[in-house]
Amino acid sequence: ITYENILTTVIVARKKMYSLSLLVLIVSSVWAENAGNVTITINGQQKTKFVLTTTAANVKVSGSSITLSSGGRVYIGDSPSKSFSPTSFFEMDLFGRKLKVDMDLSQVGCNCNAALYMLAMPAYNSSQKPEPGSAGDYYCDANKVGGSYCQDMDISEANKYAMASTAHNCTYVPPHYYSSCDHTGCGANVLDSNAKYFGPGKMIDTNKPFTLSVSFVSNGRPPTLSNITNHFWQQNRTIQFNSCNPNYLQWMGKSLTGMVMTMSLWGTGDGGMSWLDGKSGCHGGCNLANSEVTFSNFQVEEL
């Protein structure tokens, strides 16, 4: 697998235009690499899962910790696959549950994006058949990055200056295909709640690790997703903010019973991530080569 930086492309995102220097993955094969075994605690039981990637050189796995350096993307797998297939992935149930994870964003600067998100993988095409996509890894998301759409719950898109949580609903064509998605989505940024909440030297000091706890609250009969609450903890300090609204979230809830946890690290030039960190006042393009994020101590609990 090699990388090639190509032409600057103008795209529309969150109703704003910005320039993005695309990093294109040129794949010589569809072999998956197991970067290591990771421990995830689900309802008090430790489960061994597998960190699958096409960018193993950028990934370090130890115990319950996953670190991405200088870019890359990983998926939580159900087996140590030698190649990607539609059954490679671990489908996690977050409906009516709480996800806890420790995060270290201290080396993720302005216009960088360390993302933790859930996807309705594997991708399917309009013939209702699994679709390997441009990278051969069955990737899909709300922006059709790999060539296919699917439900996309961005739990955390963040750097040390800002964090956003966004749900993206899609048009579902049973039993597997998604014909289009809401690119903008419905979400919120921690800076919208209070500019003093999150960042270097702030209430949640992002120069140090912190804990993020996300509750996917359901109610009613039959139950539907009604709220997503984001709690941050660091020492004796805590903050929280909510994502989206019940009318939108009820459709996301239908997918949360089985989605694939994905993590990535990427970046843009100065101002390219303004939808994320523009309100922070930070400046400068992402120094991806020197960027690093660590996600650790994954826990899923019933609410």
Side-chain angles (χ1 to χ4, degrees):
I1 298 167
T2 59
Y3 297 91
E4 181 182 2
N5 209 356
I6 66 168
L7 297 174
T8 298
T9 302
V10 177
I11 68 173
V12 178
R14 303 178 192 273
K15 300 181 181 179
K16 294 185 178 180
M17 300 292 293
Y18 62 87
S19 293
L20 171 63
S21 183
L22 289 178
L23 193 66
V24 173
L25 206 60
I26 302 173
V27 182
S28 56
S29 70
V30 292
W31 296 111
E33 294 188 60
N34 176 23
N37 302 348
V38 65
T39 300
I40 298 177
T41 302
I42 301 176
N43 292 332
Q45 300 294 316
Q46 291 189 341
K47 307 287 186 180
T48 298
K49 298 300 173 184
F50 305 90
V51 181
L52 306 181
T53 185
T54 59
T55 57
N58 302 77
V59 184
K60 180 180 179 181
V61 182
S62 177
S64 64
S65 174
I66 300 171
T67 298
L68 297 177
S69 302
S70 306
R73 185 168 70 209
V74 301
Y75 314 100
I76 301 301
D78 220 13
S79 62
S81 303
K82 295 296 184 182
S83 62
F84 283 106
S85 76
T87 60
S88 296
F89 310 103
F90 173 58
E91 296 184 0
M92 185 178 293
D93 184 357
L94 293 179
F95 185 76
R97 293 182 170 185
K98 177 190 300 182
L99 170 68
K100 289 183 179 179
V101 59
D102 292 343
M103 298 174 63
D104 186 345
L105 298 172
S106 60
Q107 302 303 311
V108 185
C110 192
N111 288 294
C112 298
N113 188 334
L116 170 65
Y117 48 118
M118 308 298 295
L119 299 172
M121 290 174 64
Y124 281 82
N125 59 32
S126 58
S127 298
Q128 303 288 353
K129 297 184 182 301
E131 175 55 57
S134 59
D137 54 3
Y138 296 88
Y139 182 83
C140 58
D141 64 15
N143 289 292
K144 208 177 182 180
V145 170
S148 298
Y149 287 117
C150 68
Q151 289 278 97
D152 181 343
M153 178 64 231
D154 294 326
I155 292 174
S156 173
E157 293 186 276
N159 55 42
K160 66 192 298 182
Y161 299 100
M163 178 269 192
S165 171
T166 310
H168 298 269
N169 284 333
C170 302
T171 301
Y172 179 51
V173 181
H176 302 296
Y177 179 59
Y178 294 93
S179 61
S180 63
C181 290
D182 177 5
H183 303 285
T184 303
C186 177
N189 193 307
V190 64
L191 299 182
D192 294 334
S193 299
N194 190 320
K196 298 180 180 180
Y197 271 177
F198 186 92
K202 298 186 178 181
M203 287 182 65
I204 299 300
D205 184 356
T206 52
N207 286 323
K208 303 174 183 178
F210 61 89
T211 299
L212 171 64
S213 175
V214 184
S215 297
F216 297 90
V217 181
S218 63
N219 61 25
R221 293 180 183 274
T224 60
L225 186 67
S226 60
N227 196 14
I228 299 176
T229 304
N230 306 280
H231 288 86
F232 299 80
W233 279 279
Q234 189 179 64
Q235 298 176 341
N236 62 344
R237 300 182 299 277
T238 181
I239 64 172
Q240 75 173 65
F241 73 97
N242 294 336
S243 304
C244 196
N245 61 74
N247 288 336
Y248 193 96
L249 290 177
Q250 63 178 319
W251 304 107
M252 175 57 65
K254 298 178 185 298
S255 297
L256 276 174
T257 54
M259 298 181 83
V260 177
M261 181 179 285
T262 307
M263 285 149 272
S264 63
L265 177 61
W266 60 287
T268 72
D270 191 20
M273 209 73 69
S274 60
W275 59 267
L276 173 62
D277 56 26
K279 293 183 179 180
S280 74
C282 73
H283 294 285
C286 175
N287 185 351
L288 191 60
N290 292 322
S291 297
E292 181 176 282
V293 60
T294 297
F295 304 95
S296 60
N297 298 321
F298 299 90
Q299 298 179 59
V300 177
E301 306 170 356
E302 300 289 343
L303 290 176

